[in-house]
Amino acid sequence: MLMILLLAFFFLVALAALLSFANDLNTHADRQSQLLLMKALENQQENMRENLTDNAEWGEAYNNLHRQLNLHWAWEGQNLGDSMYKTFSYEGVFVISPAGKTVYSVLNGQLLLQPLEKWMGMDPLTELRPALEHTTGKAVSRLVVSGGQLTLLAAAWITPGGDSSVTLVPGPPSVMVFAQRLTTQKLNEMGREYGVHGFRMGDISSRHIATGQVGFLLPVSGGNVRLDWLSANPGRALLVWLFPLLILLMLATLALAFMLMQNTLRKARLNDESTFLLEQSKQALSASERRFRDVVETTTDWIWEMDDRLCFTWISERFSIITGCRISEWLGRPLTDFLQIGTLSASQITDLPLSGGHLTLKHCCYYSAQQYQRYCTMVVKRVQVSENKTGFRGTATDVTLEVEAQERVRYLSSHDELTGLPNRLRMKEFLEGKLRVQPTTEHPLVMIMVDLDKFKPINDLYGHTAGDKVLNEVSSRLRNCLRESDLVARHGGDEFIIVLPDVRNLEEIETLCRRIIQEINRPFDVYSNEIFIGASLGIALAPQDAHNAADLLRFSDIALYKAKSAGRNGWVFYQRDMGEKIIQRREMENELREAIRDNQLRLVYQPRYDIKTARINAVEALVRWDHPRHGLLMPDQFISLAEETGLIIALSDWVLAAACRDTHRDLPGLSVSVNISAAEFQDGALPGRIRTALETSGLESSRLEIEVTENAMLQDPEKTLEVMRHVRKMGVKFLIDDFGTGYASLNYLRTFPFDGIKLDRSFIMPMTDSPKARQIVENMIGLGKAYSMDVTAEGVETQLQLEQLKQLECDGLQGYYIGRPMTTAQIINLLS
């Protein structure tokens, strides 16, 4: 009975093991099928993102879908038409404007304009927009549940991609969205490609699952979905064949044991049973080994084994993919030949205890097959290879991108990204280090602050890309002027700082400054145009002027301001009294603010003579400042200060109000012209300010003229033109003041709504002595008349100039010969 019970027990254990193994086999197969299905969904998303990237990062798409909607290009030209449905089965193709409105959609291959949220029954952009912000517009994808179906969405910003010929427009980007309904048929076809059948979306609310089906919950936008498929059920085949066999074997064995079969037959049956179990173990071992190798070859790391001499004995296939090296070339070679590690790290590996933890070697350097320097993190563990031998096993993870990103961050923390020069932080560290050495008067430390002259017009005329190109070239030229021990850093904008340690004499500094200006004055090639700029330099010395970095910066900045005020394209050494002049300038600013508030300003008027009517028909309002301490100040002594400090708007408002009031009250029938600064045309409130002055004074708008210089058109021409058109609609006229001395092109005469031009006095003065000067004036008058503009000559001081301008058919004259600037009472006497 003991033998029978023992045999019965063994058979029951075998049956339980068989059932458990079959169940494990089914579970593994179902898990493998689930991984394959997830891979299929990921591949579907990746393919959609690649297709979306091809269509969204495209210069023509940017021009025809973002800048303006071109249906002919998108639909009729089949650039974004029904091919998306026919070829890729995308039921929805949408273009969303920066305002969030659907401006173009193709639904089921048909051109139908329908908002994305209406077609989806929800607004998926709420989740997609933050993802796009995170990827800076690169394609992202999401699985969502819409209309009871699983829908695959992909979205990306519409950008020019690598097309440098496309002009970017400001503002947020448009978004392109692809949508594909993952119907039961599509899911089934997707599963069959990976050997999985019956793949479909199940009912998550139902707890019942059909026989033979398995499923899993997939989190998507808007909730979870359940995906079902037909289980391969490999364990069933195992049970169909082996389970009856084991039952029969058990019955036969029990029967033979019960009938006291011969001992030989009993031993034979026991031997057969042992052989069968051994075969099963081999199969299980083989399956486990295959499973291990599958995991090894699909992981992102490569796995290795080494002997106790740290020589490779086995390397996984991922090694060749990641490093480009052949596995056979490294088997038997030591780890130290592959990784650039020191003897300390190697000894740490060999000292690892058998029962201890693992060792992690971070950021180990190695070289790929192409001899590119790369980095990996290696995890090492000592293992028992055989009864008397130990070795090492572990993984290696490539972290090259992580290391390069960290190096990039460290570089950008101390360098300017545009020019590659040290930034202010690096400059300050260098400067403080040199100051700690304590420079002497015989060998001072020199700080030179460099500011580019005429740089802003480059950005205005050619764009910031051209400006960046010039800044790069400037940084290169500055580096070529310096020694290896010197430092040049970008301070910001178009300012650079040069630090010269251990300078022998002042002549050496001036020689360097002269060379820097010569280098900057050489032409710059920008889009096949020769651009010329200059440079102003402010110089401070340590220890003569200061002993710390902050004072050196401040003093060199004061010297730079003095250099720019002195005419630019030169250099100035800091002097003690310069700081006092800065203080005086600040006091002057406060006094000007008080002058506007306390009516210390007054206007004088210079008459303008009309040749056709032979009478004075207009006056030009000129401001004067009755300073309580300095006496009468002319405009050139405080207008530039007002522009730099932002007081120009308050000053212009005062002049406009006073000129309109005086003209309406004291000068009936005359027009008045007022000079407006170029900077004020960037203020959208200028039309409202002029309207207020006219309404307050009661002056007719047709009697007010605004004089502007040509440079006003260089600062944001589109904004300037818009402001001028608003003012022009009131009936106010515009004159170009000092015509011929600015930078504006003749094309601006046709584009901007000018009524007249005023020739600068520099063209009038030499006219009586030079035929060429007279010819230039004649051509300028003809140019004005060609554009139907009145031409006024400024600076007329002699009768001969008047007669010559009459012969040249000039329309108006202004100058001391006609009349000096005077009060309204003097104008009335002159008229009478």
Side-chain angles (χ1 to χ4, degrees):
M1 289 300 296
L2 181 61
M3 182 62 67
I4 293 174
L5 291 175
L6 186 61
L7 289 176
F9 174 74
F10 284 154
F11 275 107
L12 290 176
V13 170
L15 290 175
L18 179 63
L19 292 173
S20 175
F21 182 76
N23 183 65
D24 291 344
L25 193 60
N26 286 340
T27 301
H28 175 71
D30 293 340
R31 188 181 298 112
Q32 187 69 21
S33 297
Q34 179 179 341
L35 293 176
L36 291 174
L37 294 176
M38 292 296 293
K39 184 65 176 179
L41 290 173
E42 291 175 2
N43 289 342
Q44 192 73 7
Q45 293 188 60
E46 183 177 357
N47 292 336
M48 179 176 281
R49 289 195 298 269
E50 291 177 355
N51 293 335
L52 179 59
T53 299
D54 292 339
N55 287 273
E57 295 183 5
W58 186 12
E60 290 188 17
Y62 186 85
N63 287 329
N64 292 282
L65 296 177
H66 176 63
R67 292 173 66 97
Q68 62 177 356
L69 180 60
N70 187 348
L71 286 176
H72 177 78
W73 179 88
W75 176 255
E76 297 176 8
Q78 287 299 312
N79 289 291
L80 199 68
D82 58 359
S83 60
M84 294 298 167
Y85 178 74
K86 296 178 179 178
T87 305
F88 302 106
S89 299
Y90 296 159
E91 288 85 353
V93 176
F94 301 88
V95 175
I96 313 299
S97 70
K101 181 180 179 181
T102 301
V103 297
Y104 178 82
S105 62
V106 178
L107 304 178
N108 296 323
Q110 301 295 321
L111 180 61
L112 297 173
L113 183 59
Q114 184 176 358
L116 172 60
E117 58 271 17
K118 182 177 180 182
W119 186 77
M120 289 290 298
M122 57 178 290
D123 187 6
L125 291 179
T126 303
E127 181 179 353
L128 290 176
R129 287 190 188 279
L132 288 173
E133 292 289 343
H134 180 70
T135 63
T136 63
K138 299 296 182 181
V140 297
S141 61
R142 293 290 186 277
L143 286 169
V144 301
V145 178
S146 171
Q149 283 188 326
L150 186 62
T151 303
L152 176 58
L153 285 179
W157 287 351
I158 299 178
T159 65
D163 192 347
S164 60
S165 65
V166 175
T167 303
L168 298 178
V169 295
S174 296
V175 179
M176 184 179 293
V177 180
F178 285 175
Q180 185 180 30
R181 302 283 195 188
L182 297 182
T183 62
T184 301
Q185 180 181 357
K186 292 181 181 178
L187 289 174
N188 198 11
E189 292 175 356
M190 191 184 306
R192 282 202 300 268
E193 291 180 1
Y194 287 83
V196 180
H197 300 280
F199 185 39
R200 63 183 181 85
M201 188 173 77
D203 186 4
I204 194 172
S205 62
S206 175
R207 297 184 178 181
H208 176 71
I209 301 179
T211 304
Q213 285 193 332
V214 291
F216 66 98
L217 289 180
L218 176 66
V220 300
S221 299
N224 296 329
V225 296
R226 197 180 78 194
L227 298 178
D228 298 337
W229 71 93
L230 292 176
S231 175
N233 200 6
R236 180 177 178 276
L238 186 66
L239 292 177
V240 167
W241 290 99
L242 292 183
F243 192 82
L245 182 61
L246 281 177
I247 294 296
L248 292 175
L249 185 61
M250 180 183 67
L251 295 175
T253 303
L254 292 175
L256 291 176
F258 184 76
M259 295 172 62
L260 299 177
M261 291 293 292
Q262 295 180 357
N263 188 45
T264 304
L265 181 60
R266 182 176 60 81
K267 290 183 179 180
R269 290 183 182 277
L270 291 175
N271 184 59
D272 290 343
E273 183 178 349
S274 300
T275 303
F276 172 77
L277 293 175
L278 179 61
E279 185 64 26
Q280 291 295 102
S281 299
K282 289 182 178 180
Q283 292 179 4
L285 181 61
S286 177
S288 177
E289 183 178 356
R290 287 195 303 271
R291 191 179 302 117
F292 169 74
R293 290 192 178 274
D294 290 341
V295 171
V296 167
E297 301 308 329
T298 56
T299 184
T300 55
D301 302 343
W302 52 278
I303 304 174
W304 49 266
E305 289 183 356
M306 294 187 299
D307 57 19
D308 53 0
R309 295 179 295 110
L310 300 185
C311 294
F312 289 111
T313 58
W314 176 82
I315 305 175
S316 68
E317 295 295 332
R318 292 291 297 177
F319 174 80
S320 299
I321 299 174
I322 296 175
T323 66
C325 302
R326 295 181 180 179
I327 296 176
S328 58
E329 295 176 353
W330 284 97
L331 291 178
R333 295 180 61 180
L335 174 67
T336 52
D337 286 356
F338 180 74
L339 292 183
Q340 307 297 314
I341 59 175
T343 56
L344 177 61
S345 297
S347 63
Q348 288 179 329
I349 297 175
T350 55
D351 292 342
L352 271 175
L354 182 62
S355 59
H358 58 269
L359 174 66
T360 301
L361 302 177
K362 294 185 176 180
H363 300 172
C364 302
C365 177
Y366 72 93
Y367 288 90
S368 66
Q370 295 77 25
Q371 294 303 306
Y372 293 134
Q373 188 174 11
R374 301 185 66 85
Y375 298 88
C376 70
T377 294
M378 181 168 284
V379 179
V380 184
K381 181 178 179 62
R382 182 184 285 272
V383 295
Q384 187 77 38
V385 178
S386 61
E387 184 177 352
N388 298 322
K389 288 186 177 181
T390 62
F392 302 92
R393 290 195 187 110
T395 62
T397 306
D398 189 271
V399 292
T400 303
L401 295 179
E402 176 185 344
V403 173
E404 291 177 348
Q406 292 175 354
E407 291 295 327
R408 179 66 175 167
V409 169
R410 281 195 291 268
Y411 175 82
L412 291 178
S413 66
S414 60
H415 289 79
D416 175 54
E417 187 174 9
L418 174 63
T419 61
L421 294 177
N423 58 16
R424 283 181 288 184
L425 178 63
R426 176 70 184 95
M427 180 274 298
K428 185 178 180 181
E429 293 175 351
F430 179 84
L431 182 59
E432 290 176 346
K434 295 300 181 182
L435 287 174
R436 281 195 290 269
V437 182
Q438 296 183 352
T440 63
T441 305
E442 293 77 16
H443 297 281
L445 181 142
V446 181
M447 172 175 285
I448 304 176
M449 186 170 289
V450 182
D451 184 80
L452 303 182
D453 301 330
K454 302 179 185 178
F455 177 75
K456 189 176 185 301
I458 297 178
N459 284 332
D460 295 335
L461 293 175
Y462 300 98
H464 289 280
T465 302
D468 293 344
K469 183 178 180 181
V470 171
L471 289 176
N472 270 311
E473 179 63 23
V474 168
S475 65
S476 177
R477 295 184 185 183
L478 290 177
R479 279 194 292 258
N480 293 336
C481 294
L482 303 179
R483 306 167 300 182
E484 291 186 0
S485 59
D486 302 333
L487 177 106
V488 56
R490 187 183 179 199
H491 191 52
D494 59 347
E495 284 190 356
F496 299 85
I497 290 180
I498 297 175
V499 180
L500 309 175
D502 192 20
V503 177
R504 290 185 293 272
N505 50 59
L506 295 181
E507 290 77 9
E508 183 179 349
I509 302 173
E510 294 191 336
T511 300
L512 174 62
C513 293
R514 191 176 297 108
R515 183 182 176 190
I516 289 174
I517 292 179
Q518 289 174 352
E519 286 294 313
I520 301 299
N521 287 341
R522 288 196 295 112
F524 293 84
D525 183 16
V526 177
Y527 301 139
S528 301
N529 295 311
E530 284 192 344
I531 303 299
F532 293 89
I533 62 174
S536 298
L537 287 68
I539 307 169
L541 308 179
Q544 289 92 327
D545 299 327
H547 297 275
N548 58 73
D551 287 343
L552 277 176
L553 280 170
R554 184 162 57 89
F555 293 157
S556 60
D557 187 39
I558 293 173
L560 174 63
Y561 176 79
K562 183 66 176 177
K564 296 177 77 71
S565 302
R568 303 174 184 268
N569 222 29
W571 62 88
V572 170
F573 286 87
Y574 173 76
Q575 302 295 332
R576 295 291 180 182
D577 61 344
M578 289 182 180
E580 298 176 1
K581 293 180 180 179
I582 296 296
I583 296 175
Q584 293 174 1
R585 181 179 177 274
R586 292 174 181 169
E587 292 177 352
M588 189 77 166
E589 175 186 343
N590 295 329
E591 291 173 349
L592 178 57
R593 186 176 286 105
E594 294 176 0
I596 298 173
R597 185 181 66 243
D598 300 338
N599 289 326
Q600 296 177 12
L601 305 175
R602 64 182 177 88
L603 292 182
V604 294
Y605 299 90
Q606 186 170 21
R608 192 169 76 221
Y609 180 75
D610 185 3
I611 294 179
K612 295 178 182 178
T613 61
R615 69 180 183 87
I616 294 174
N617 67 338
V619 294
E620 179 181 358
L622 303 171
V623 66
R624 301 289 186 263
W625 182 4
D626 289 325
H627 196 281
R629 290 187 295 108
H630 302 299
L632 184 66
L633 299 181
M634 305 302 286
D636 58 353
Q637 295 177 278
F638 59 88
I639 291 296
S640 60
L641 175 63
E643 291 178 335
E644 294 172 3
T645 58
L647 292 173
I648 190 65
I649 294 179
L651 179 60
S652 293
D653 286 343
W654 186 93
V655 172
L656 274 169
C660 292
R661 181 188 65 243
D662 293 348
T663 305
H664 177 67
R665 183 186 61 198
D666 302 328
L667 304 174
L670 297 187
S671 298
V672 62
S673 62
V674 178
N675 291 278
I676 296 295
S677 170
E680 296 183 69
F681 282 87
Q682 307 309 309
D683 179 16
L686 179 61
R689 292 162 48 206
I690 294 175
R691 182 181 293 105
T692 300
L694 291 172
E695 293 175 351
T696 304
S697 65
L699 182 69
E700 299 90 338
S701 59
S702 60
R703 295 173 58 193
L704 177 61
E705 299 172 342
I706 301 297
E707 294 189 17
V708 297
T709 61
E710 297 174 72
N711 294 339
M713 293 167 280
L714 296 179
Q715 302 180 17
D716 195 350
E718 294 181 359
K719 181 67 175 294
T720 302
L721 179 59
E722 179 184 358
V723 172
M724 291 180 67
R725 284 175 175 170
H726 283 297
V727 177
R728 194 72 158 69
K729 288 180 181 179
M730 305 178 200
V732 179
K733 300 177 182 178
F734 280 98
L735 306 178
I736 303 181
D737 192 20
D738 300 333
F739 181 73
T741 61
Y743 297 100
S745 68
L746 296 180
N747 183 50
Y748 287 137
L749 293 178
R750 177 179 58 84
T751 305
F752 288 81
F754 288 108
D755 300 278
I757 60 178
K758 299 181 72 174
L759 304 183
D760 188 70
R761 65 193 309 271
S762 61
F763 297 102
I764 305 302
M765 293 179 63
M767 187 178 63
T768 56
D769 300 324
S770 171
K772 290 185 178 179
R774 175 186 171 94
Q775 182 65 41
I776 292 174
V777 173
E778 182 179 2
N779 292 338
M780 296 175 76
I781 293 174
L783 178 64
K785 292 185 177 296
Y787 284 99
S788 301
M789 297 183 185
D790 291 333
V791 181
T792 300
E794 294 183 307
V796 178
E797 299 183 357
T798 65
Q799 176 68 27
L800 181 57
Q801 291 173 344
L802 184 146
E803 295 298 333
Q804 289 182 340
L805 289 168
K806 281 185 177 180
Q807 295 174 6
L808 297 178
E809 299 182 353
C810 186
D811 298 305
L813 307 174
Q814 186 176 342
Y816 285 177
Y817 187 75
I818 306 301
R820 292 176 176 270
M822 57 189 75
T823 64
T824 55
Q826 293 171 324
I827 292 289
I828 294 172
N829 292 334
L830 180 63
L831 292 174
S832 62

